[in-house]
Amino acid sequence: MPPDEAYPDAIADGALTNATFTSPPFKMERMTWIKPYFLWMMYRAGWGFKDAGQQRILAINISRAEFEWAREHGCLSHADASMSKDEWSAKKEASPVRIQWDPERDLLLRPQAHRAIQIGLSKKAVELYVNQWITRVVDVTPLAHAIHALLVQEKFEEAKHMLPQEKPYASVFHPS
């Protein structure tokens, strides 16, 4: 499963060299967000042009089982009606993972009706991610820039064909 993340050069170069994140400059104490949908990542990072902290876009491979572990050990990033604010706060404090669902994006980065999962890893989860889960790191910045260049030229069909193939996520908690 290839979640995408955006980083500055120093973190991206270290991750590519070591096939995982190295600290420093990667900060294990900070929550790191994995975004499994390419166009949502392009929205978040502005195709790698948004700012110096997000100029490199990496595809990070982890297994479905590890992704499921993160999801199962997560807590929604916002309280829902099923629990009190105090219950939610206690669950959030105890959880090493935050889950949020944001509008997916189309090729022009416009919000869509369906949602894309974002998973924030902290504490034990970020340690597992960095030290055990990551099996491959690929720099997809050139792909992002190539697709963006086609969009600027209004070559939408060519850009669409370059997008990574993605399947809707299905689980017992969020069937497709």
Side-chain angles (χ1 to χ4, degrees):
M1 173 158 294
D4 294 313
E5 300 182 65
Y7 291 100
D9 282 336
I11 291 175
D13 289 341
L16 289 162
T17 299
N18 298 293
T20 193
F21 295 101
T22 53
S23 184
F26 183 84
K27 294 183 178 154
M28 297 287 287
E29 308 78 39
R30 287 189 62 196
M31 182 170 285
T32 189
W33 287 86
I34 57 176
K35 300 157 187 82
Y37 297 97
F38 186 79
L39 288 174
W40 201 95
M41 188 65 244
M42 296 309 100
Y43 163 74
R44 178 71 176 88
W47 298 97
F49 299 111
K50 184 175 181 180
D51 60 56
Q54 298 184 69
Q55 64 193 24
R56 299 279 292 287
I57 300 163
L58 304 178
I60 313 295
N61 286 36
I62 63 173
S63 75
R64 174 73 181 233
E66 291 151 341
F67 184 83
E68 290 290 340
W69 183 96
R71 192 194 44 72
E72 290 167 7
H73 288 82
C75 155
L76 291 174
S77 59
H78 300 92
D80 66 16
S82 70
M83 63 178 72
S84 74
K85 189 165 180 128
D86 288 341
E87 289 172 315
W88 174 75
S89 291
K91 183 173 181 172
K92 184 177 84 165
E93 252 333 283
S95 173
V97 180
R98 298 288 176 280
I99 305 290
Q100 70 185 48
W101 293 90
D102 296 317
E104 178 57 292
R105 301 293 164 154
D106 69 7
L107 190 59
L108 299 177
L109 307 183
R110 298 173 296 206
Q112 301 297 290
H114 58 283
R115 300 271 174 174
I117 193 170
Q118 318 305 320
I119 299 179
L121 305 175
S122 67
K123 305 173 189 170
K124 177 183 179 183
V126 78
E127 289 176 22
L128 289 169
Y129 179 63
V130 168
N131 297 321
Q132 296 177 26
W133 294 358
I134 296 173
T135 60
R136 185 171 175 226
V137 179
V138 177
D139 189 345
V140 295
T141 310
L143 174 64
H145 289 177
I147 295 170
H148 180 261
L150 289 170
L151 294 173
V152 169
Q153 297 170 42
E154 298 185 5
K155 295 180 179 180
F156 303 115
E157 283 303 311
E158 287 180 53
K160 185 178 176 183
H161 286 33
M162 290 183 71
L163 291 174
Q165 295 296 310
E166 297 174 331
K167 296 178 187 175
Y169 176 78
S171 77
V172 294
F173 297 98
H174 192 275
S176 60

